[in-house]
Amino acid sequence: MEYKNKINKVIKNTFDGKDSKDCIAKQQPLIDIKKKILFIDDDQILRDMYSAKFQRNGYEIKAVASGEEALNLIKGLYIPDILITDLMIPIMDGFSIFETIKKEKLLPNVIAIMLTNKGLSEEINKAKELGFDLLGFASADKL
C-alpha cells in the first residue's frame, strides 16, 4: 500500500500543481498498481496452484512452462517485478534462464527467486553467486 501511495503522489505532482479537478483520474485512484510475477515451472499443476494463490493475493501473474517462453515474454516487453523460477526445467534450467536475463540485462530491477525440491548445497551456493534474492524449497503441500 505504501508503494501505491508513493506512486500516486509522484503522478499527482506531475500535473504541475494543477487542481486534480482538471484530471480525468479524479473520480478514481490515479493508478492501481499490481505487482507482476513471472513464474516458470514445467509442472502444470504447480503453475496452476501458484497462479491461483498469487492472483487471490492481488498479484498479476504470468506462468510459463519453459525458459524460452519466459525470455520471449520478457523480450516482448513484459517486465515483471518478481521472477520465480524452478531449478529443474528441461532444456534451459533455472540457472540458465537467470544467467541469460542477467547477461542481456533484461530485468535489472527484478526480485529473483529460485525454487527447488532438492536444496543441495551446490545449488544454494550457485544461486547466491548468480544473485538470486531468495531460494525456496518448493512443495505443493505447503500451498
Side-chain angles (χ1 to χ4, degrees):
M1 192 59 158
E2 183 178 321
Y3 179 74
K4 186 176 176 179
N5 290 338
K6 286 180 183 178
I7 295 294
N8 282 341
K9 187 175 182 179
V10 168
I11 290 173
K12 215 173 197 178
N13 290 338
T14 63
F15 293 113
D16 298 322
K18 293 180 184 174
D19 193 329
S20 62
K21 293 176 196 164
D22 300 331
C23 305
I24 296 172
K26 180 189 178 274
Q27 302 304 319
Q28 52 192 331
L30 291 173
I31 191 166
D32 183 22
I33 294 181
K34 282 188 173 186
K35 291 284 187 184
K36 293 192 241 178
I37 298 174
L38 178 54
F39 182 74
I40 311 162
D41 198 310
D42 60 324
D43 185 321
Q44 180 68 51
I45 293 170
L46 285 177
R47 284 196 314 272
D48 292 345
M49 286 192 301
Y50 276 101
S51 292
K53 182 172 182 107
F54 287 123
Q55 285 172 344
R56 275 194 312 269
N57 287 291
Y59 293 91
E60 174 188 312
I61 182 163
K62 296 217 185 246
V64 296
S66 71
E68 183 180 24
E69 287 179 86
L71 291 172
N72 286 338
L73 270 174
I74 294 165
K75 289 177 180 179
L77 301 181
Y78 180 76
I79 309 298
D81 300 293
I82 303 166
L83 171 75
I84 304 172
T85 183
D86 185 21
L87 173 59
M88 303 300 293
I89 303 172
I91 302 169
M92 183 180 232
D93 67 16
F95 290 138
S96 299
I97 295 165
F98 194 58
E99 284 174 323
T100 301
I101 288 169
K102 286 189 75 145
K103 180 181 161 192
E104 296 183 24
K105 299 176 182 169
L106 298 172
L107 301 172
N109 300 315
V110 75
I111 296 168
I113 301 168
M114 186 187 69
L115 299 179
T116 182
N117 289 327
K118 294 181 181 180
L120 301 174
S121 60
E122 310 89 65
E123 293 173 346
I124 294 168
N125 290 336
K126 187 168 182 178
K128 288 178 182 176
E129 286 172 19
L130 285 174
F132 276 92
D133 296 291
L134 184 63
L135 175 64
F137 300 97
S139 176
D141 62 338
K142 304 245 173 164
L143 293 173

